[in-house]
Amino acid sequence: MTRLRALCTAVVLVCASGQVLADTASHNASAEAFLKLAHADKLGTPVYMQVQQMFAQRFEQTKAPASKKAVLDSYQAKANAALDQAIGWNKLKPDMVQLYTSTFSESELKDLVKFYESPLGKKVLEKMPMVTQQSAQLTQQKLESAVPVVNKLLSDMTNELDPSAGKAAPAKKP
């Protein structure tokens, strides 16, 4: 009888773990579908472009002749390989899937996929990078007017807390 219970328990555990694995696989698949729609595999592109630009600028700074362009190309290729090892999609994808599956339920991910497959979702994906950049620029422009005020307040606070910090030391009497 004890063996039968142990066997039944083992069967239930195996079945339950199989269901958990199936649920995990399905959840991961939903995350991967969302990441594909969101073009997450392109997240590193700006970094690659910036590094390529750094090498090109350094090439120009050294005033290397055009005949040495192969050297530039070689180093840019090596830099790309180093970036692939660090942030290539095959390196990022498992962590991104984990991030999204731990943040969103499978149902939520399916809803996100459904949204991003819709015309509005496609428009959001297309326009959001530009909107985000313009939002940052607008914020930066508005922030510039506050910088002098904040700096003055910081100076005033420093002077109030330590009046000698903002003033020159008094001259010594002979």
Side-chain angles (χ1 to χ4, degrees):
M1 192 65 142
T2 305
R3 282 188 178 172
L4 182 58
R5 280 189 197 159
L7 182 60
C8 287
T9 302
V11 167
V12 168
L13 288 175
V14 167
C15 289
S17 67
Q19 183 60 41
V20 168
L21 289 175
D23 289 347
T24 299
S26 178
H27 198 178
N28 287 350
S30 295
E32 288 182 32
F34 169 74
L35 290 168
K36 183 175 182 177
L37 280 170
H39 305 290
D41 60 325
K42 306 284 188 258
L43 286 173
T45 300
V47 175
Y48 283 79
M49 291 172 53
Q50 187 176 11
V51 169
Q52 294 301 305
Q53 186 177 13
M54 286 171 37
F55 276 88
Q57 286 173 344
R58 182 62 54 90
F59 183 79
E60 283 183 33
Q61 288 171 352
T62 63
K63 297 182 172 60
S67 63
K68 295 281 189 174
K69 178 132 179 4
V71 172
L72 169 64
D73 294 342
S74 170
Y75 277 93
Q76 286 178 321
K78 290 175 186 177
N80 281 347
L83 290 172
D84 286 344
Q85 289 298 312
I87 62 166
W89 182 238
N90 62 331
K91 297 289 185 179
L92 287 177
K93 184 179 175 182
D95 293 334
M96 295 293 281
V97 168
Q98 172 59 36
L99 173 64
Y100 278 83
T101 57
S102 67
T103 304
F104 299 103
S105 70
E106 182 175 359
S107 174
E108 291 169 331
L109 286 166
K110 286 181 178 182
D111 288 346
L112 284 169
V113 167
K114 206 179 295 180
F115 171 72
Y116 283 112
E117 287 176 334
S118 74
L120 177 59
K122 289 177 182 177
K123 184 175 182 177
V124 168
L125 283 172
E126 177 189 338
K127 301 291 184 180
M128 195 53 69
M130 177 199 58
V131 169
T132 301
Q133 180 183 11
Q134 289 178 352
S135 297
Q137 288 172 345
L138 288 170
T139 302
Q140 182 65 34
Q141 290 169 356
K142 301 289 184 193
L143 180 62
E144 287 176 12
S145 67
V147 169
V149 174
V150 170
N151 285 338
K152 172 80 168 86
L153 291 169
L154 184 60
S155 176
D156 291 349
M157 183 187 79
T158 301
N159 289 335
E160 185 174 330
L161 293 172
D162 183 5
S164 65
K167 300 176 184 171
K172 293 183 180 181
K173 294 182 183 177

